[in-house]
Amino acid sequence: MMDQDFGSVGNGQKRQPIENPCHQTKPLFRSWFQLLLLLCVVVFVLCYALSNSSVSWQTHFALQKHYKWPFNDKNKVYMSSHQVHPKHRHILIEIQTTTEPSTVQPVKTQYHQAYPRNYNFIMDNKEVCKQNPFLVLMVPVAPNNVAARDAIRKTWGKESLVQGEVVITLFMLGLSEGADVDKLQQENVQYHDLIQSDFMDTYLNLTIKTMVIMDWLATRCPAAAYAMKVDSDMFLNIDNLVIMLQKPNIPKTNYLTGMVMTNRPVVRSKDSKWYVSEELYPDPEYPTYTLGMGYVFSNDLPEKFVEVSKSIKPFNIEDAYIGMCMKKLGFTPTSPPDPSQFQAYNSKYNRCEFSKVITFILGPPQELVDYWTDLKKPGPPC
Ligand SMILES: *[C@@H]1O[C@H](CO)[C@@H](O)[C@H](O)[C@H]1NC(C)=O
């Protein structure tokens, strides 16, 4: 745009008269006339160029200002497709091959892309918290993953009174092109357990999802005592979790527990699905954090996380991001009373073992239903 404008000025100068028939009789008048004519042409061309491009120049400056505040524009490109976990890759492909729905309002990035108040709840179910739950289980799940939701509703999500305490299970969804909006609404009418916000639901946006969970807990459910962020492919021994939280020595505030990770190096290999650039996260190690598969926290923390996140640059590792929030707040995650209860992978199902733990990562939803059914059958598990 700017190059073209300068080009037209150059052409204008070439248009000045080369010959003047009066040059022999009035040389002084000729040079003054030439100068005046040249000036006229230059002024005319300049005016023309300015009137055509002033709007775009203004826009250009406005955009530069927008991207430079409060961080530089490098922060905006904070997720790359290298980091997609294989089992979630289909979600990203689905998003990449489609365009954004036209009904989505433009996102205002007041603080940064993961600041949850940049997004709006489409489904919100705030009345579910009137029961003053002891524990709220928040499950991030892709909109089209009905199978995972149904398996949870038949198993650990089914229980609303556990060890005498009110427990509610809710699913957190973002937007997905593949999702059938009517079906989701019907599902919500039936179960009243869907929370949906208007960010694009992709694996690389999980930090946004976690922060939206925190915002929901802070604004819709502040009276709950504890909450847990638990993945949709998890086995959760909900009784053991409530028994743990009922122990008198469990803190009621500023408490975060789960599988505690300390001194974890940031993955700098670009081929890794966990790759995070130095631009996004400069330190070589993450602060102490709890593994994202399932972490439990006192419900005073969500509001503090949302507030402190304003000043913490987002990156795509959601559990480590919560670790950053804890660090900035001056708190550290605590090991659970029995650390062996928070397990990641299990080699094979063992009824006795599953009766003692709190978490295990599972495979397909049917596995959860099968293991749960077996665990709940009468007779001692060990
Ligand atoms: C994350 O969500 C935002 C807001 O909907 C969207 O603009 C962006 O494209 C998403 N990013 C990825 C990597 O999916």
Side-chain angles (χ1 to χ4, degrees):
M1 189 72 197
M2 302 261 282
D3 284 349
Q4 274 168 14
D5 291 340
F6 287 131
S8 71
V9 171
N11 288 340
Q13 281 170 332
K14 276 178 210 145
R15 261 185 257 128
Q16 63 179 289
I18 298 160
E19 281 187 40
N20 192 313
C22 312
H23 69 282
Q24 276 172 341
T25 47
K26 287 172 184 172
L28 192 69
F29 172 77
R30 188 206 63 176
S31 65
W32 272 106
F33 179 75
Q34 258 190 354
L35 195 67
L36 207 66
L37 201 67
L38 177 68
L39 263 171
C40 280
V41 168
V42 166
V43 165
F44 173 79
V45 167
L46 264 175
C47 285
Y48 181 75
L50 269 171
S51 73
N52 264 355
S53 58
S54 58
V55 174
S56 64
W57 285 355
Q58 270 170 16
T59 317
H60 183 77
F61 282 122
L63 277 176
Q64 272 201 336
K65 255 205 274 193
H66 173 79
Y67 284 120
K68 282 201 172 126
W69 184 86
F71 305 114
N72 62 44
D73 51 352
K74 277 173 190 157
N75 299 9
K76 297 187 75 69
V77 202
Y78 76 97
M79 286 165 175
S80 92
S81 56
H82 294 291
Q83 297 144 285
V84 186
H85 190 280
K87 75 176 177 180
H88 294 283
R89 211 162 262 156
H90 64 281
I91 304 168
L92 187 76
I93 289 160
E94 185 183 304
I95 298 293
Q96 279 174 339
T97 50
T98 52
T99 52
E100 270 198 25
S102 55
T103 50
V104 180
Q105 292 164 1
V107 170
K108 86 175 184 300
T109 49
Q110 194 191 353
Y111 291 98
H112 52 66
Q113 205 185 10
Y115 182 66
R117 288 178 190 165
N118 288 331
Y119 306 99
N120 309 290
F121 291 109
I122 302 164
M123 286 192 268
D124 143 314
N125 280 312
K126 45 182 149 185
E127 69 291 341
V128 296
C129 268
K130 286 202 183 115
Q131 329 162 43
N132 281 341
F134 171 72
L135 172 66
V136 186
L137 304 174
M138 297 294 273
V139 188
V141 59
N144 62 357
N145 200 350
V146 190
R149 290 196 287 277
D150 281 343
I152 291 168
R153 286 179 185 124
K154 283 184 211 157
T155 59
W156 47 264
K158 186 176 63 181
E159 328 269 317
S160 55
L161 205 64
V162 181
Q163 305 288 320
E165 309 279 8
V166 175
V167 178
I168 57 176
T169 304
L170 297 164
F171 299 99
M172 174 60 75
L173 330 174
L175 294 176
S176 161
E177 271 293 303
D180 184 332
V181 177
D182 291 339
K183 259 198 177 156
L184 278 181
Q185 266 159 9
Q186 279 168 26
E187 189 183 329
N188 189 45
V189 165
Q190 191 176 353
Y191 299 105
H192 301 284
D193 60 2
L194 302 185
I195 316 288
Q196 190 178 29
S197 176
D198 64 355
F199 63 91
M200 286 312 286
D201 198 321
T202 62
Y203 185 68
L204 297 174
N205 265 350
L206 283 185
T207 300
I208 301 181
K209 209 171 199 177
T210 290
M211 291 315 292
V212 168
I213 284 176
M214 296 304 169
D215 188 31
W216 192 89
L217 287 167
T219 56
R220 271 65 172 172
C221 217
Y226 294 96
M228 180 183 197
K229 180 254 163 184
V230 52
D231 283 345
S232 64
D233 58 353
M234 297 298 293
F235 167 82
L236 178 66
N237 193 319
I238 182 69
D239 282 272
N240 289 350
L241 174 60
V242 172
I243 291 166
M244 182 196 92
L245 290 172
Q246 284 173 329
K247 291 197 162 106
N249 54 342
I250 294 290
K252 293 192 163 34
T253 57
N254 306 331
Y255 180 65
L256 170 67
T257 194
M259 190 185 253
V260 178
M261 315 298 282
T262 42
N263 307 107
R264 303 302 291 190
V266 178
V267 178
R268 301 295 190 199
S269 151
K270 286 190 177 161
D271 300 328
S272 166
K273 56 197 168 213
W274 312 116
Y275 167 73
V276 172
S277 72
E278 270 159 45
E279 261 161 37
L280 282 186
Y281 190 88
D283 292 350
E285 280 181 0
Y286 287 125
T288 304
Y289 68 96
T290 44
L291 205 64
M293 58 170 191
Y295 48 85
V296 185
F297 44 96
S298 56
N299 202 38
D300 60 311
L301 279 178
E303 194 184 355
K304 297 173 187 173
F305 289 153
V306 171
E307 189 55 32
V308 80
S309 80
K310 287 175 180 175
S311 59
I312 304 174
K313 190 165 148 177
F315 54 98
N316 51 300
I317 311 291
E318 63 88 20
D319 44 10
Y321 188 77
I322 290 297
M324 281 293 288
C325 293
M326 285 291 281
K327 190 183 170 183
K328 193 120 190 180
L329 289 165
F331 313 135
T332 359
T334 316
S335 266
D338 176 2
S340 74
Q341 284 191 308
F342 285 83
Q343 301 267 352
Y345 293 97
N346 70 309
S347 44
K348 69 175 182 13
Y349 174 73
N350 175 310
R351 190 168 178 234
C352 180
E353 216 183 327
F354 273 61
S355 73
K356 292 176 184 167
V357 298
I358 291 175
T359 65
F360 259 135
I361 299 176
L362 299 182
Q366 191 55 41
E367 225 171 83
L368 172 60
V369 179
D370 292 346
Y371 295 177
W372 191 268
T373 311
D374 186 74
L375 185 70
K376 293 292 162 179
K377 69 183 186 198
C382 296

